[in-house]
Amino acid sequence: TLVWCAVALMSLMVAAQAQDEKTMGGGVEKGIAALEQKWDYAAKTNNTDMLAPLLADKFINTDSSGEVTGKAEALASTKASKWEKYEISNVKVTVFGKTAIATGEWVGKGTDDKGKPVDAHERYTDTWIEMSGGKWQCVASHGSPIKM
């Protein structure tokens, strides 16, 4: 009877793990894609209150010029930039446990936080981590220009 209980318990654990992986994959991928859209909207509308919770305190951004900035600079830039066009597309999310990698394309036209004209088409990679409490935040973002 003890052997049967152990076998039954192992079967339940394997089934539960398989169920978690099934629901987590699609759910997390869709959830991260939705967070990417929320970030897009926040940037378009200069809404730093919407953007701030999406970025980890130690967030690192590497822009297409190679400049590396943190969360405070990203929020200040978001607040000061003006966009005629700001769109992401072709968003794909791959989940690795408590880490998700989102890739996509970004097209922007307007002025940056320094008033400099921007007319860009880039590929980006965002790294998201599931923090304690189940909240997902972006810890790193990188953009590279697409040469047309």
Side-chain angles (χ1 to χ4, degrees):
T1 312
L2 187 56
V3 172
W4 182 85
C5 286
V7 169
L9 183 59
M10 288 298 284
S11 296
L12 285 172
M13 288 171 60
V14 169
Q17 183 177 1
Q19 182 61 36
D20 283 350
E21 289 171 2
K22 253 197 314 200
T23 52
M24 178 118 153
V28 171
E29 289 162 358
K30 287 178 184 168
I32 297 298
L35 291 174
E36 290 283 330
Q37 292 297 329
K38 188 173 185 178
W39 185 343
D40 177 66
Y41 182 78
K44 244 189 274 202
T45 59
N46 308 98
N47 189 337
T48 55
D49 290 336
M50 182 183 286
L51 179 57
L54 303 180
L55 307 179
D57 289 340
K58 295 181 181 180
F59 171 77
I60 298 168
N61 182 62
T62 307
D63 70 19
S64 61
S65 72
E67 184 179 359
V68 178
T69 56
K71 181 175 181 173
E73 295 91 348
L75 293 173
S77 176
T78 297
K79 190 171 196 95
S81 300
K82 301 293 178 222
W83 300 106
E84 296 167 37
K85 182 176 192 172
Y86 190 108
E87 296 174 359
I88 60 171
S89 61
N90 299 319
V91 177
K92 296 190 180 21
V93 179
T94 306
V95 178
F96 303 92
K98 294 182 178 284
T99 303
I101 306 297
T103 59
E105 291 182 43
W106 172 75
V107 176
K109 186 173 176 71
T111 55
D112 68 11
D113 57 328
K114 295 165 190 73
K116 181 181 160 195
V118 175
D119 190 356
H121 186 190
E122 299 178 359
R123 290 204 191 282
Y124 71 86
T125 302
D126 292 338
T127 303
W128 296 82
I129 302 287
E130 184 179 10
M131 302 299 186
S132 59
K135 179 181 178 181
W136 286 83
Q137 288 186 311
C138 187
V139 295
S141 183
H142 183 272
S144 298
I146 296 175
K147 303 290 186 198
M148 300 304 262

